[in-house]
């Protein structure tokens, strides 16, 4: 099939392939690094994000495709691809994207140099700078390096996934140059900075940096006395990182995951990145050892640009090259509460918090108050991804030590956070908390906290539900919604949800919640079909849905059905989208937008016009197969009319974005939304920031 025929097939297929759609998403991230209107150091961060995104994609999605190919699996997926055909297409697009990423990197380093931030080489340094760097190498770097030879008596050492190494080709002094060379590898120490600041030149305000691998290469002779280095080339291996657990037969899930994490170190090689110009003998040795075939990415620059995130964040004195600092405001509803009693505020009305514009401290303080309140009898909470220094965990420990009933559902299978969650689980258990590891075969992805409090000879339930993780670090970087309520129906459902997770309870007859995997998918189907019925009857109908990914085939088909019935559907999907909009007779009433900007769009919410009686729901779930069928997920209605209006405005603000929004075309390509001449540019994230800040300042009496 020719390139033109393949493009035609892709643009006319009913569905867009998930993995190809993901690559388009990472392309949009790369576009932010290429956007001249984005501050320079923020563009550097986006370059880093492209790398970290790609690492996960390769170690999970591409690894899965390779396993299917190896097993001889030839069945097409619902988008029409066999594993072999899709893998070939994916690797080609990844290679093109990485090439463009490094072009952007080289352009950005030139611009950084103009601003006085310079990546230098040993040869470009002054004599004094070289002397200082020689001292740094001998005092700091050399003692932690371990050269590992590969020969008949020393087999190839274990190469860790996504760690940087140097491949060294050597010739022994006095030997015949035609003899086969010697080979060794050196792991770059991960506990040393990849970017080393070089002492400033005399009277210069410029900041210069040398990469760790360049400094080691310059001093490589110190590691191999009696040998002549012929070539020093950087490489990096990515292994299959998916856990293969048999949960039903595991006697102790925590111990089983620890074993699997250990086995992950020997995962099947998936991707090999090598420095451009690598010595042929080094390439031969690496390909033979890793059995990687031709799936090698040749990198024209430093291998793995993930280090640029830490580099950009640690630079001092260049605030003009960053976005202005955003200081989240404390939610105004809790700001003036008497005696800091958040329970009193929540009894009066539901409270909505919009992160990162409003502070995650509100959540921390809610749990802190519960931990220290003598009238609180029990706290129940789910933890999926938690920050390294979590105030929430400290509060839960304090509550357990004070004799309260504390139950924590810790998801040990949260990908790449398994080790951290194991550590939290042990700390919580040691403090006396009841720690539950979730349900067999399911990940607990719902974000909910339940506080049970004794009040006037009765028990009252206070609940917090959110669209994002209980993580105060990511709450500064992700857009998410949190809802505080003591609505009795929500409280009743919250208790039932925890009982199902921790005990033996049949599926609950939910009054407010919709819970995956038992009822959420069918609830969404019902709500979508209801909109179609309204549209067919001439009643007001509309769907606005915001999520990270849409890839569940049945969900896409339901949206196609609603579109065909005349329902206007606006989707705000940050990442993967398998629905093809704008196809006559199928999806001409559907629009799909993606917003990639300063903050990671992470909130999940959906609006249904419902014949003139609007409903708004917030959720932990994307509309993906894994979320709807293999995870414990939660969707909750927003009962308060004023709060519904706030969320509707947030959704409509996203639909008005004409600066950072891209619109998905029926061809499968994303085009930037262009401002209409009569309409001023609107950047939804900046507008949201201004609205929240303005409300807060007005309440404080500040003009």
């Amino acid at each position: 099939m020719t390139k033109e025929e393949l493009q035609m097939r892709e643009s006319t297929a009913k569905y867009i392939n998930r993995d190809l759609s993901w690559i388009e998403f990472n392309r949009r991230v790369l576009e932010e690094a290429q956007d001249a209107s984005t501050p320079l150091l923020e563009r550097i961060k986006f370059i880093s994000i492209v790398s970290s995104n790609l690492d996960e994609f390769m170690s999970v999605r591409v690894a899965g495709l390779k396993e299917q190919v190896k097993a001889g699996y030839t069945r097409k997926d619902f988008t029409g691809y066999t594993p072999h055909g899709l893998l070939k297409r994916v690797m080609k697009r990844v290679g093109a994207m990485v090439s463009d990423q490094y072009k952007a990197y080289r352009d950005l380093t030139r611009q950084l140099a103009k601003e006085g931030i310079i990546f230098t080489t040993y040869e470009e340094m002054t004599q004094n700078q070289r002397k200082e760097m020689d001292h740094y190498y001998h005092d700091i770097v050399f003692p932690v390096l371990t050269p590992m030879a590969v020969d008949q008596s020393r087999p190839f050492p274990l190469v860790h996934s996504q760690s940087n190494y140097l491949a060294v080709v050597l010739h022994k002094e006095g030997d015949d140059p035609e003899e086969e060379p010697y080979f060794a590898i050196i792991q770059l120490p991960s506990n040393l900075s990849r970017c080393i600041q070089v002492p400033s030149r005399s009277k210069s305000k410029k900041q210069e940096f040398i990469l760790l691998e360049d400094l080691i290469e310059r001093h490589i002779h110190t590691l191999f006395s009696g040998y002549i280095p012929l070539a020093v080339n950087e490489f990096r291996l990515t292994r299959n990182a998916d856990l293969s657990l048999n949960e039903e037969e595991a006697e102790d899930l925590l111990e089983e995951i620890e074993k699997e994490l250990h086995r992950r170190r020997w995962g099947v090689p998936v991707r090999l990145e090598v420095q451009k110009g690598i010595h042929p003998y080094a390439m031969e040795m690496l390909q033979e050892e890793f059995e990687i075939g031709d799936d090698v990415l040749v990198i024209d620059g430093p291998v793995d640009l993930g280090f640029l995130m830490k580099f950009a964040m640690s630079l001092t004195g260049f605030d003009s090259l960053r976005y202005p600092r955003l200081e989240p405001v404390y939610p105004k509803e809790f700001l003036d509460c008497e005696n800091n009693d958040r329970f009193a505020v929540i009894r009066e009305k539901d409270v909505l918090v919009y992160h990162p514009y409003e502070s995650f401290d509100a959540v921390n303080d809610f749990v802190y108050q519960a931990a220290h309140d003598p009238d609180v009898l029990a706290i129940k909470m789910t933890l999926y991804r938690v920050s390294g220094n979590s105030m929430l965990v400290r509060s839960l420990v304090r509550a357990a030590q004070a004799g309260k009933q504390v139950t924590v559902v810790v998801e040990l299978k949260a990908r790449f956070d398994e080790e951290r969650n194991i550590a939290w689980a042990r700390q919580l258990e040691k403090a006396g908390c009841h720690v539950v590891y979730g349900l067999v075969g399911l990940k607990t992805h719902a974000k909910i906290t339940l506080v049970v409090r004794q009040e006037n000879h009765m028990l009252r339930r206070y609940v917090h539900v959110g669209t994002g993780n209980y993580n105060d670090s990511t709450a500064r970087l992700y857009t998410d919604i949190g809802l505080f309520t003591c609505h009795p129906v929500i409280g009743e459902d919250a208790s039932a949800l925890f009982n199902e997770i921790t005990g033996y309870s049949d599926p609950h007859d939910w009054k407010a919640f919709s819970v995956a995997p038992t009822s959420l998918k069918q609830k969404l189907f019902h709500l979508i079909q209801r909109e179609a019925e309204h549209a067919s009857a001439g009643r007001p109908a509309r769907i606005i849905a915001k999520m990270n990914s849409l890839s569940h085939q049945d969900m896409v088909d339901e949206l196609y059905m609603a579109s065909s019935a005349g329902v206007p559907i606006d989707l705000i999907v940050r990442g993967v989208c398998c629905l093809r909009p704008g196809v006559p007779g199928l999806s001409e009433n559907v629009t799909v937008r993606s917003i990639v900007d300063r903050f990671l769009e992470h909130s999940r919410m959906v609006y249904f016009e419902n014949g003139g009686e609007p409903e708004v729901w917030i959720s932990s779930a994307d509309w993906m197969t894994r979320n709807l069928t293999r995870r414990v997920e939660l969707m909750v209605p927003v009962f308060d009319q004023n709060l519904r209006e706030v969320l509707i405005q947030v959704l409509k603000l996203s639909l008005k974005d004409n600066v950072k929004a891209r619109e998905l075309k029926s061809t499968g390509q994303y085009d930037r939304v262009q401002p209409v001449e009569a309409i001023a540019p609107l950047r939804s994230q900046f507008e949201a920031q201004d609205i929240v800040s303005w409300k807060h300042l007005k309440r404080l009496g500040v003009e």
Side-chain angles (χ1 to χ4, degrees), residues 326-332 352-361 474-481 546 595 597-603 650 653-654 657 683-694 696:
L326 171 69
E327 194 60 47
V329 297
Y330 202 82
K332 59 185 178 61
L352 196 71
V353 181
Y354 189 13
H355 308 298
Y357 314 106
E358 294 181 290
S359 176
F360 190 79
D361 287 345
T474 57
R476 286 179 167 269
L477 305 173
Y478 296 4
T479 67
D480 271 308
I481 300 295
K546 184 176 184 298
I595 297 173
D597 202 349
R598 176 180 182 177
F599 303 115
L600 183 77
E601 292 287 341
H602 194 256
S603 56
V650 170
L653 191 61
S654 295
D657 193 307
R683 194 168 175 178
S684 58
Q685 288 193 358
F686 282 25
E687 292 293 324
Q689 174 182 334
D690 291 342
I691 289 171
V692 172
S693 299
W694 176 81
H696 179 66

Side-chain angles (χ1 to χ4, degrees), residues 382-430:
T382 60
L383 294 179
Y384 191 76
R385 297 189 194 276
V386 188
S387 62
N389 183 26
S390 174
M391 178 179 173
L392 290 173
V393 172
R394 294 199 300 272
S395 294
L396 294 172
V397 167
R398 170 68 178 82
Q401 292 172 342
K404 303 181 191 301
Q405 291 292 309
V406 179
T407 303
V408 190
V409 182
V410 179
E411 182 46 72
L412 297 181
K413 303 184 292 295
R415 185 175 288 141
F416 305 120
D417 273 357
E418 298 96 343
E419 292 186 49
R420 176 180 290 177
N421 285 3
I422 287 172
W424 286 133
R426 286 189 165 138
Q427 181 178 337
L428 290 165
E429 284 182 325
K430 185 177 180 180

Side-chain angles (χ1 to χ4, degrees), residues 239-302:
R239 298 181 181 274
N240 186 333
D242 226 7
L243 296 180
S244 300
L245 293 170
N246 187 346
E247 295 182 52
E248 293 185 359
E249 296 184 7
E251 294 184 7
D252 188 313
L253 184 59
L254 186 146
E255 290 185 4
E256 187 64 27
I257 289 178
E258 285 186 314
K259 292 176 184 177
E260 191 63 31
L261 289 174
H262 186 70
R263 288 193 291 269
R264 182 186 274 175
R265 298 167 59 190
W266 282 271
V268 175
V270 175
R271 171 186 59 170
L272 176 63
E273 299 166 274
V274 299
Q275 192 174 12
K276 184 179 180 180
I278 187 170
H279 193 283
Y281 185 74
M283 176 68 91
E284 179 185 340
M285 292 289 290
L286 295 175
Q287 285 185 293
E288 180 180 342
E289 171 63 23
F290 303 135
E291 300 178 353
I292 204 72
D294 295 327
D295 288 338
V296 177
L297 283 174
V298 179
I299 304 299
D300 189 7

Side-chain angles (χ1 to χ4, degrees), residues 263-541:
R263 288 193 291 269
R264 182 186 274 175
R265 298 167 59 190
W266 282 271
V268 175
V270 175
R271 171 186 59 170
L272 176 63
E273 299 166 274
V274 299
Q275 192 174 12
K276 184 179 180 180
I278 187 170
H279 193 283
Y281 185 74
M283 176 68 91
E284 179 185 340
M285 292 289 290
L286 295 175
Q287 285 185 293
E288 180 180 342
E289 171 63 23
F290 303 135
E291 300 178 353
I292 204 72
D294 295 327
D295 288 338
V296 177
L297 283 174
V298 179
I299 304 299
D300 189 7
V303 175
D304 178 28
L305 298 178
F307 73 92
L308 290 173
M309 177 64 76
K310 185 176 181 180
F311 170 76
M313 295 180 67
S314 63
L315 275 174
T316 58
F318 294 95
D319 288 346
S320 62
L321 304 181
R322 297 183 172 93
Y323 285 123
R325 180 178 173 82
L326 171 69
E327 194 60 47
V329 297
Y330 202 82
K332 59 185 178 61
E333 294 86 351
F334 293 140
L335 198 60
D336 300 323
C337 58
E338 187 175 351
N339 299 321
N340 292 320
D341 187 358
R342 291 156 194 83
F343 297 133
V345 175
I346 299 169
R347 282 196 299 274
E348 182 180 340
K349 62 180 179 180
D350 291 354
V351 177
L352 196 71
V353 181
Y354 189 13
H355 308 298
Y357 314 106
E358 294 181 290
S359 176
F360 190 79
D361 287 345
V363 180
N364 285 334
D365 293 343
F366 171 72
V367 178
Y368 179 87
Q369 180 179 341
H372 290 78
D373 187 336
D375 293 327
V376 168
L377 305 180
I379 303 173
K380 302 182 181 185
M381 191 173 191
T382 60
L383 294 179
Y384 191 76
R385 297 189 194 276
V386 188
S387 62
N389 183 26
S390 174
M391 178 179 173
L392 290 173
V393 172
R394 294 199 300 272
S395 294
L396 294 172
V397 167
R398 170 68 178 82
Q401 292 172 342
K404 303 181 191 301
Q405 291 292 309
V406 179
T407 303
V408 190
V409 182
V410 179
E411 182 46 72
L412 297 181
K413 303 184 292 295
R415 185 175 288 141
F416 305 120
D417 273 357
E418 298 96 343
E419 292 186 49
R420 176 180 290 177
N421 285 3
I422 287 172
W424 286 133
R426 286 189 165 138
Q427 181 178 337
L428 290 165
E429 284 182 325
K430 185 177 180 180
C433 301
H434 302 295
V435 179
V436 179
Y437 302 141
L439 301 172
V440 172
L442 301 173
K443 286 186 180 181
T444 303
H445 194 247
K447 291 82 167 75
I448 181 169
T449 301
L450 170 64
V451 174
V452 181
R453 191 169 187 264
Q454 179 80 44
E455 296 177 2
N456 298 324
H457 307 293
M458 61 173 286
L459 295 181
R460 192 188 302 271
R461 301 179 181 96
Y462 295 85
V463 178
H464 172 270
V465 291
T467 65
N469 296 310
Y470 285 117
N471 188 315
D472 49 7
S473 296
T474 57
R476 286 179 167 269
L477 305 173
Y478 296 4
T479 67
D480 271 308
I481 300 295
L483 175 67
F484 294 93
T485 182
C486 65
H487 195 291
V489 173
I490 289 180
E492 180 183 337
D493 278 2
S495 289
L497 176 63
F498 278 104
N499 288 343
E500 281 197 13
I501 295 174
T502 64
Y504 294 108
S505 293
D506 289 332
H508 183 64
D509 182 16
W510 306 108
K511 303 297 190 299
F513 287 3
S514 294
V515 179
T518 54
S519 66
L520 177 54
K521 183 175 69 172
Q522 293 305 320
K523 181 67 174 182
L524 286 169
F525 287 175
H526 165 72
L527 294 172
I528 294 170
Q529 291 163 7
R530 187 184 64 183
E531 291 303 304
E533 292 170 2
H534 285 312
S536 298
R539 295 187 293 269

Side-chain angles (χ1 to χ4, degrees), residues 672-688:
R672 281 188 181 272
V673 175
Q674 298 299 325
V676 178
E677 189 173 337
I679 301 176
L682 188 147
R683 194 168 175 178
S684 58
Q685 288 193 358
F686 282 25
E687 292 293 324

